Amino acid sequence: MNKIALARCGSYERNEVEKAVHQCLAELGGLGRWIAPGQKVLVKPNILAAEPPEKGVDTHPEVVRAVLKALLESGARPIVGDSPGVGSLARAAEKAGIAAACRELGVPLAAFNEEVEVRTAPDGKILKSFPLAREVTEVDVVINLPRVKTHGLTRLTGAVKNLFGCVVGLHKGEMHFRLQRADVFQEMLIDLALTVKPALTLVDGVMAMEGAGPRNGDLRFMGLILAGENPFAVDAAIARLVGLEPTEVPVLALAAKRGITGIKESEMELLGEKLEDLLIPDFNVPAAKNMINLRVPDWVVRLFRRFVSPYPVIREHCRRCLVCMQACPAKVISVAHGQMVIDDQHCIRCYCCQEFCPHDAIELKVPFGGRLI
Ligand code: SF4
Ligand code: SF4
C-alpha cells in the first residue's frame, strides 16, 4: 500500500512549516526508514527561476530549510541541487531564498553542471539512458521537494515532473526536441522517475500555483505539506486534492497504463489529515490539451498538431528580454522589426517559452480543432 501523509500548514512561518514536515515524516515512520547517519542525501527542490519566495515559483525556502534541518538532526549529510531551465542555479537559489537557508545550515548547493549517462531503469520504455547530474548518481538517497503548480504541457507539476531537473541543463531542451509528442515526452518522465527513484517526496502545498503555471500562474492557498515514497502516488493525491481524477493528468494516465501502482484510490493509504477536508474542487488547471495527443495515432498528431494543440502567442506587454528565444528548443522564436515572432509552422508545442517567460507575456491558445476534439 502506498502511504501518503497529509499535514496542515497554514503559512510559511518557520515553526509551522517545521511542525508540518515533522508530522509527515512521523506519519511515514521517521527519516530513519530511508536514511542512516552519515549518508549523503541530495535534496531536489523545484528551483525553476530566479524569483522571490512570495511569487511561489520555486519550492519555498522554509520548506527546504525544514527538511534540511530534519536531515541534519538525523545525522545525514545533505546537499541541495537543481538545474534551472534558464540562468544559473546560484542566482536562482539566491533570489528564491534557498541559498540563504543552505548557508545558514552549512549545506552545500550543487549546480548540476556535470553529467553521467545512467541506464534507464529496467521497466523504462522510451530512452535507454539519461544524462543525469553527477550528484544524483553519487548520493545514497534522493529526496524530492516539488511544489504544487499547474503546467501547460503536463497539466500539473509535482513529484514526477520535478525530477526532470535531474537532467543536466541543455539536455532538457534536447529532450523536448527529440520527444515532440506530448505523450512520448511524458512516458520519458515516467522512465526518469523510475530511474532516479527518490526515496521520499515532500511537497510544498502551502501556496499552490493555479492557471498559467509553472511560472506565471496565480497563487492559491492550499495549506498543506504532503509526503510519500511513491512519486506517482504523491501526484495522484495532488490531483485528487485539486478536484481531478488522477488519470486526467496525462503522466498518471500513462503510468497507470503501464501498471504502476499507487494511482488508484484503492492503492493509496492516507495518513494524517483527511483529503476530503483539504479539497480545492475549483482549482484552475489547464484544460486536458495533451490528452488530445493520447487519443489519436502518431500520424494524426504529426499532421494536425498545428490545428489541435494549443499554440503560444506573444502578448502585447512582452518586454523583449529574449528569455523565450533562449529557452525554445526548436529555435523558432526570433526578433523581427523589434518584435518577438514565433514560427508557428515549426513550433513543437513544448511550451518552454511560456514556462520561462519572466513577464507572463506568452499565452497558450487552443485552436478551433483542439476545442472541437
Ligand atoms: S515573450 Fe516573455 S520571454 Fe519572450 S521576450 Fe517577451 S517578455 Fe521576454
Ligand atoms: S515557440 Fe514555445 S512552444 Fe514552440 S517550440 Fe518554441 S518553446 Fe516550444
Side-chain angles (χ1 to χ4, degrees):
M1 189 59 82
N2 296 275
K3 292 183 177 172
I4 302 291
L6 297 165
R8 280 187 198 270
C9 187
S11 74
Y12 286 114
E13 201 269 317
R14 184 162 296 175
N15 291 338
E16 203 164 355
V17 175
E18 282 183 6
K19 193 174 152 213
V21 166
H22 277 278
Q23 219 171 305
C24 283
L25 293 174
E27 292 282 5
L28 295 170
L31 269 180
R33 279 198 55 212
W34 306 281
I35 298 153
Q39 280 193 317
K40 213 169 168 188
V41 179
L42 169 67
V43 173
K44 162 67 182 79
N46 181 212
I47 310 180
L48 174 71
E51 296 283 10
E54 58 275 15
K55 284 211 57 188
V57 171
D58 307 305
T59 305
H60 197 280
E62 285 300 333
V63 177
V64 179
R65 192 184 173 285
V67 173
L68 291 178
K69 208 173 148 217
L71 284 166
L72 290 166
E73 281 165 4
S74 75
R77 292 182 297 136
I79 59 169
V80 172
D82 201 357
S83 164
V86 173
S88 77
L89 176 77
R91 187 167 166 265
E94 201 58 60
K95 194 95 188 257
I98 291 171
C102 289
R103 271 195 301 273
E104 190 199 327
L105 297 171
V107 172
L109 196 57
F112 291 168
N113 293 327
E114 215 180 298
E115 78 216 39
V116 174
E117 204 62 29
V118 176
R119 275 185 77 83
T120 305
D123 31 6
K125 192 170 168 185
I126 300 295
L127 298 178
K128 287 199 175 92
S129 64
F130 282 97
L132 296 185
R134 184 176 48 77
E135 291 80 0
V136 177
T137 65
E138 285 179 352
V139 293
D140 300 298
V141 177
V142 175
I143 293 193
N144 192 17
L145 279 195
R147 183 171 189 142
V148 177
K149 293 188 292 178
T150 48
H151 194 284
L153 184 66
T154 55
R155 299 198 81 193
L156 287 175
T157 161
V160 175
K161 175 69 170 60
N162 189 43
L163 297 169
F164 194 40
C166 294
V167 170
V168 171
L170 287 175
H171 292 292
K172 288 199 275 291
E174 276 168 33
M175 284 190 187
H176 274 291
F177 194 65
R178 276 171 70 193
L179 313 172
Q180 294 184 15
R181 264 190 76 138
D183 53 337
V184 175
F185 183 81
Q186 292 181 83
E187 292 276 17
M188 175 278 293
L189 291 178
I190 298 171
D191 286 357
L192 181 61
L194 297 171
T195 305
V196 175
K197 226 175 177 304
L200 179 67
T201 295
L202 274 126
V203 186
D204 172 2
V206 182
M207 293 299 290
M209 184 182 281
E210 63 179 353
R215 186 169 184 176
N216 294 301
D218 305 308
L219 293 190
R220 179 87 186 257
F221 179 73
M222 214 173 179
L224 71 114
I225 301 284
L226 68 149
E229 280 183 357
N230 175 345
F232 299 95
V234 170
D235 280 353
I238 295 174
R240 289 173 60 202
L241 281 161
V242 300
L244 296 177
E245 278 301 316
T247 49
E248 289 180 283
V249 179
V251 78
L252 295 177
L254 294 164
K257 267 194 198 167
R258 281 202 206 184
I260 290 173
T261 60
I263 295 160
K264 291 184 197 145
E265 202 175 332
S266 58
E267 296 164 347
M268 196 186 289
E269 183 186 347
L270 294 165
L271 307 166
E273 298 292 332
K274 283 197 177 118
L275 188 137
E276 297 71 34
D277 297 342
L278 295 157
L279 278 182
I280 309 183
D282 63 343
F283 196 82
N284 179 10
V285 184
K289 300 155 186 168
N290 295 302
M291 297 302 274
I292 291 165
N293 286 7
L294 307 181
R295 291 188 196 123
V296 292
D298 211 23
W299 66 270
V300 178
V301 174
R302 283 207 205 97
L303 255 180
F304 293 105
R305 181 162 58 197
R306 283 186 64 208
F307 306 106
V308 298
S309 291
Y311 56 100
V313 173
I314 296 179
R315 297 157 86 180
E316 264 181 26
H317 66 270
C318 161
R319 298 200 201 163
R320 289 174 282 288
C321 66
L322 310 186
V323 167
C324 57
M325 210 166 113
Q326 291 154 17
C328 175
K331 301 290 167 227
V332 296
I333 306 180
S334 56
V335 187
H337 309 295
Q339 301 292 325
M340 303 306 296
V341 179
I342 297 176
D343 171 3
D344 182 59
Q345 199 168 353
H346 295 101
C347 164
I348 60 172
R349 307 311 199 237
C350 66
Y351 314 127
C352 291
C353 49
Q354 184 252 351
E355 178 170 347
F356 294 112
C357 172
H359 305 296
D360 192 14
I362 294 185
E363 191 182 345
L364 299 183
K365 291 205 167 169
V366 184
F368 181 66
R371 287 200 298 274
L372 270 184
I373 287 175

